Amino acid sequence: MRFLKITKNDWARGVEGLKDSFRVFGPVLERSHFNFRPLEKGQEPDFSFRNTRLSPKSTVYPQSEILFTYTLDKSRPDHHVHKEPPRDETPRAILGIRPCDAKAFGLVKLNFDTPEYKDPYWLSAYEATTLVGLACDEPCSACFCTSAGSGPFDEAGLDVLLKDEGDHYLVKVLTEKGGKLVSAAGWAGEASGAEKAFVDGAAVAAEKITSFVSADKLAGKVTNQLHNAKFWDDVAFSCINCGTCTFLCPTCWCFDIQDEVAGTDGVRMKNWDSCMFPLFTLHGTGHNPRGQKTDRVRQRFMHKLKYFVDRYDKGIMCVGCGRCVQHCPVNIDIRRVCEIMNEYEPEPETCPA
Amino acid sequence: MENPYYPYPVRIASTVIETEDRNLKTFKFEFLDPADEEKFSYMPGQFAELSVTGKGEIPIGIASSPTEKGFLMFTVNKVGVVSSALHNMVEGDIMGVRGPMGNWYPWEKLQGKNVVIIGGGFAFTTLRSSIVYMLHPDNRKKFGDIHVVYGARSPGMLLYRDELAEWERRDDINMHITVDRADDPDWKYNVGFVPSITEKNAPKADNDTYAIVCGPPIMIKFTQPVLEKLGYAHDHIIMSLENRMKCGIGMCGRCNIGMEFVCKDGPVFTLEELNRTPREY
Ligand SMILES: Cc1cc2nc3c(=O)[nH]c(=O)nc-3n(C[C@H](O)[C@H](O)[C@H](O)COP(=O)(O)OP(=O)(O)OC[C@H]3O[C@@H](n4cnc5c(N)ncnc54)[C@H](O)[C@@H]3O)c2cc1C
Ligand code: SF4
Ligand code: SF4
Ligand code: FES
């Protein structure tokens, strides 16, 4: 493992240099909140954020993405045939991503990179991306990353981890990709004793996390018993199916496919979608297997906390970033729901005497 | 990297109106590039996304059998946006087919077994594929007795009527065609609902007999108790589900029943498997 120490001037110069060979994304203040955006020449990532309002998933997985283009003009020889648009595979760097959000990419990858099928759009963007994390020294109150399989210094999804030391950064180079980025930025200056600063920093930050979930018993539950449990109506009662939770979440990946035509030119595109919307599962016949609000709220939590756990054996589909907890307009809290599910014991079968 | 969203370009080779209400049409497609036909190798029970350029895609069961070469066949009910657009298309038009997708009826496990096919309404498409496949001279000896119970509202609503008549004349398949009611005095087959015709004609259950059931929910609801009464174990009752789909490859997240994706892990499940999953279909 390589450690570097770079001054904030080196940092700024390096970031500018990176823009020659990378598309660089970083947190930017937009009115009241931060989001990850492509950085223009001369624009620095603003690290005075705690975390961004939207997750950085759109840097790899745009909210709307063209899969194919085609023409309906029958005088053209290739009319009605789908053509892949050229993909921008320029290397990308995401600067200042929080460790939990980086870990989330690894969970989403399980969906888009399977033994049977690979999503070339998501995967090529992901592979072109180098993730430069910023360790969380001051986690938010709604964060519960340490009990959701991640943590304020989690290295799992990252290529590089930065630790802010006031007038300089300590840099931990985690992967080969990370090494290349560091060289491209011209960052040198080995910091041999820095290991300890990361270990200590991680321990201090973890101490500041005050909220937790227990997910240890979820894998052992019987799916249908959890699904049929009586608590779902209560959990879903106040939900207004706005979709904020799935929109903000770094691990939510569901999408829709739509065609759009203007004149004789058309595109087929992939758009973010949400299990919270009734149209998501509505059949052409009018039948809807998740027609009630409770069905949809249950789907969101069962997917994250049970189906995903069972399918991949990689823990829950949540990294504890706290966004859905902070921004749900009616305070539906995944920490509480996880607790209810984890502690659930099926009602004893009453003997039909 | 192969792009699983890419629809193979096809030409509509023929269209046939199947039913008296004109809502069901059968389409035959030819691949524009014959090499794509090789890549599209499928088994009865699988489906494909029919891709109407400019309108969208719909998952439709493959009605042709892999033993039939040179074309793909689908029968499409006119329901909404894409299926209606497809109904308006004509021979020679270019569109796309993406697939094959999903699993298939368990043909390995069915070797040497008796097979009872129970279908209702227009869900007979992959069952047609299955029958043609089993009756093919290379395959017929691999299976025991074959029974088919197939019902529709009226004689004019049955799919593939010429083939049904042909199968009726064969002695290596037992056909039990039925309609809810027949105004036609020449109707020479059964009258009655699928569950009761099944009860009368399906062979008694044993370890070597499997039922494949496809049809509208109401038919399935009343056929299941009949099969149970005949002694069919839940792992001997095979069903195919239809959930709303988009990607067809287990990624877009909408078609799941519990941890299973109907598009990728299904659409074919045994009743025993379905008993273990949430009833979200
Ligand atoms: C595995 C499978 C096999 C099928 N086989 C056949 C068949 O052989 N013949 C046939 O006529 N129909 C079949 N269907 C049903 C058929 O897919 C729908 O009727 C069709 O998608 C309706 O699309 P639409 O655009 O006309 O309707 P709209 O209501 O306009 O639907 C809009 C979109 O929603 C989706 N959608 C809507 N209803 C369904 C549905 N029931 N299932 C899946 N997606 C849906 C489609 O992506 C569709 O493009 C099958 C469905 C599945 C899942
Ligand atoms: S943010 Fe809250 S109210 Fe909105 S869909 Fe999610 S749980 Fe429901
Ligand atoms: S479910 Fe909520 S807390 Fe968990 S990763 Fe998604 S937005 Fe963050
Ligand atoms: S149709 Fe997209 S996951 Fe099944």
Side-chain angles (χ1 to χ4, degrees):
Chain A
M1 208 69 66
R2 264 179 82 203
F3 293 92
L4 307 174
K5 177 179 167 179
I6 56 172
T7 65
K8 295 219 165 156
N9 278 338
D10 293 341
W11 165 257
R13 231 183 341 261
V15 168
E16 239 4 74
L18 279 179
K19 292 179 190 165
D20 295 336
S21 43
F22 286 80
R23 285 169 64 198
V24 178
F25 296 80
V28 172
L29 181 63
E30 299 184 314
R31 279 175 304 190
S32 61
H33 51 267
F34 288 89
N35 278 321
F36 279 89
R37 298 289 175 213
L39 300 179
E40 312 286 322
K41 277 266 170 243
Q43 188 182 13
E44 261 197 70
D46 183 346
F47 281 1
S48 65
F49 75 124
R50 282 226 171 146
N51 208 352
T52 49
R53 170 78 59 93
L54 301 175
S55 86
K57 67 182 168 188
S58 63
T59 53
V60 164
Y61 178 28
Q63 191 181 344
S64 187
E65 182 168 29
I66 291 176
L67 299 178
F68 301 105
T69 60
Y70 48 79
T71 174
L72 304 177
D73 177 355
K74 290 198 176 170
S75 69
R76 300 258 297 274
D78 56 354
H79 69 90
H80 289 79
V81 174
H82 289 77
K83 287 170 293 279
E84 263 188 71
R87 269 200 290 275
D88 183 354
E89 290 179 4
T90 323
R92 313 171 189 200
I94 308 181
L95 305 182
I97 187 171
R98 293 298 186 185
C100 58
D101 287 340
K103 159 105 181 187
F105 280 119
L107 300 184
V108 174
K109 186 167 186 283
L110 294 169
N111 185 60
F112 286 124
D113 182 8
T114 69
E116 302 86 2
Y117 302 104
K118 315 225 175 274
D119 182 315
Y121 305 88
W122 191 92
L123 216 53
S124 62
Y126 174 74
E127 279 163 4
T129 303
T130 306
L131 297 172
V132 180
L134 180 61
C136 277
D137 290 316
E138 298 296 335
C140 317
S141 59
C143 294
F144 53 99
C145 52
T146 48
S147 55
S150 188
F153 278 61
D154 184 14
E155 297 168 2
L158 291 170
D159 299 299
V160 175
L161 179 61
L162 302 176
K163 181 167 174 6
D164 191 338
E165 297 283 283
D167 62 345
H168 65 275
Y169 291 109
L170 288 177
V171 182
K172 185 168 181 182
V173 183
L174 299 161
T175 64
E176 204 183 308
K177 242 186 190 175
K180 286 195 183 131
L181 177 133
V182 166
S183 315
W187 292 323
E190 306 288 324
S192 47
E195 173 104 61
K196 187 168 168 347
F198 280 89
V199 174
D200 294 348
V204 171
E207 281 292 307
K208 294 184 187 166
I209 302 272
T210 52
S211 105
F212 307 95
V213 292
S214 325
D216 55 317
K217 290 185 248 169
L218 292 169
K221 305 282 174 202
V222 176
T223 297
N224 271 353
Q225 288 178 352
L226 264 184
H227 191 268
N228 297 332
K230 298 213 170 73
F231 57 75
W232 290 112
D233 277 326
D234 176 43
V235 165
F237 179 73
S238 57
C239 174
I240 55 171
N241 271 188
C242 65
T244 300
C245 47
T246 57
F247 190 76
L248 300 180
C249 177
T251 70
C252 275
W253 62 64
C254 290
F255 62 87
D256 189 17
I257 299 176
Q258 288 290 337
D259 280 44
E260 237 175 57
V261 178
T264 53
D265 292 328
V267 296
R268 172 159 298 161
M269 54 194 188
K270 213 166 129 190
N271 302 322
W272 291 359
D273 205 343
S274 172
C275 60
M276 285 294 165
F277 303 149
L279 267 182
F280 192 60
T281 48
L282 178 67
H283 292 201
T285 54
H287 171 64
N288 194 341
R290 293 198 279 267
Q292 301 302 312
K293 178 174 77 175
T294 300
D295 304 329
R296 299 190 284 277
V297 172
R298 172 170 56 194
Q299 162 66 16
R300 172 173 166 241
F301 290 116
M302 286 291 279
H303 185 202
K304 288 190 173 296
L305 303 174
K306 178 63 182 163
Y307 307 150
F308 183 89
V309 172
D310 289 349
R311 188 159 184 120
Y312 299 109
D313 193 19
K314 292 268 197 300
I316 57 177
M317 188 185 137
C318 166
V319 292
C321 74
R323 286 185 180 87
C324 62
V325 177
Q326 275 180 308
H327 297 293
C328 173
V330 300
N331 295 321
I332 290 177
D333 188 332
I334 190 171
R335 295 170 298 185
R336 179 177 155 256
V337 180
C338 188
E339 212 59 43
I340 296 175
M341 289 173 68
N342 199 53
E343 294 310 320
Y344 175 73
E345 293 299 337
E347 291 88 16
E349 296 263 335
T350 40
C351 187
Chain B
M1 210 182 305
E2 275 213 32
N3 188 338
Y5 299 100
Y6 178 71
Y8 300 122
V10 293
R11 181 185 301 106
I12 300 181
S14 69
T15 70
V16 175
I17 295 172
E18 287 283 346
T19 52
E20 61 192 6
D21 69 354
R22 307 176 69 84
N23 265 340
L24 282 143
K25 242 187 195 181
T26 293
F27 297 84
K28 281 189 181 169
F29 299 117
E30 289 164 0
F31 290 94
L32 289 194
D33 178 355
D36 289 342
E37 185 175 353
E38 296 289 309
K39 289 191 233 160
F40 194 103
S41 102
Y42 65 97
M43 290 298 282
Q46 288 192 282
F47 69 97
E49 288 280 351
L50 301 189
S51 181
V52 179
T53 315
K55 292 292 178 186
E57 295 185 307
I58 49 175
I60 301 290
I62 306 173
S64 49
S65 153
T67 52
E68 299 172 300
K69 300 292 177 202
F71 66 92
L72 288 177
M73 181 174 127
F74 300 87
T75 301
V76 179
N77 189 26
K78 192 166 151 183
V79 179
V81 177
V82 181
S83 54
S84 303
L86 186 55
H87 268 246
N88 290 334
M89 292 175 74
V90 295
E91 208 178 298
D93 281 350
I94 308 292
M95 51 176 281
V97 170
R98 191 156 68 84
M101 283 158 180
N103 64 355
W104 45 88
Y105 299 121
W107 297 113
E108 284 296 315
K109 195 161 80 187
L110 292 174
Q111 295 235 350
K113 312 291 183 190
N114 307 312
V115 180
V116 188
I117 284 186
I118 303 167
F122 59 84
F124 196 62
T125 54
T126 59
L127 300 180
R128 181 219 175 251
S129 170
S130 304
I131 295 167
V132 171
Y133 174 78
M134 289 192 290
L135 292 181
H136 189 271
D138 291 350
N139 295 334
R140 182 60 191 92
K141 57 191 173 304
K142 294 185 198 157
F143 302 97
D145 292 343
I146 302 174
H147 285 262
V148 176
V149 180
Y150 172 38
R153 285 204 305 277
S154 59
M157 289 302 292
L158 289 163
L159 302 181
Y160 319 126
R161 285 192 289 276
D162 294 345
E163 282 176 312
L164 294 177
E166 201 183 303
W167 296 333
E168 278 282 359
R169 288 193 292 272
R170 293 176 70 129
D171 58 9
D172 57 353
I173 178 167
N174 304 292
M175 299 295 293
H176 313 286
I177 300 171
T178 184
V179 292
D180 298 354
R181 56 188 159 65
D183 305 330
D184 178 359
D186 294 335
W187 176 251
K188 44 184 194 284
Y189 309 116
N190 300 289
V191 176
F193 294 115
V194 167
S196 59
I197 303 299
T198 303
E199 185 160 10
K200 258 189 259 158
N201 296 288
K204 249 184 54 280
D206 61 35
N207 206 25
D208 289 331
T209 305
Y210 285 80
I212 301 180
V213 188
C214 273
I218 185 86
M219 183 205 95
I220 292 181
K221 186 172 162 203
F222 289 107
T223 304
Q224 189 181 320
V226 167
L227 287 173
E228 281 167 358
K229 201 160 128 198
L230 290 169
Y232 283 77
H234 284 185
D235 63 352
H236 280 54
I237 302 177
I238 299 160
M239 311 192 5
S240 185
L241 299 188
E242 287 188 6
N243 268 15
R244 180 169 177 144
M245 294 182 181
K246 284 288 177 172
C247 69
I249 54 176
M251 290 182 183
C252 77
R254 75 196 58 236
C255 72
N256 71 299
I257 46 166
M259 65 181 267
E260 317 276 352
F261 291 109
V262 173
C263 65
K264 180 169 143 180
D265 307 311
V268 176
F269 297 94
T270 64
L271 182 53
E272 190 198 28
E273 289 165 336
L274 291 181
N275 291 339
R276 286 196 299 261
T277 64
R279 221 160 269 275
E280 291 189 344
Y281 45 87

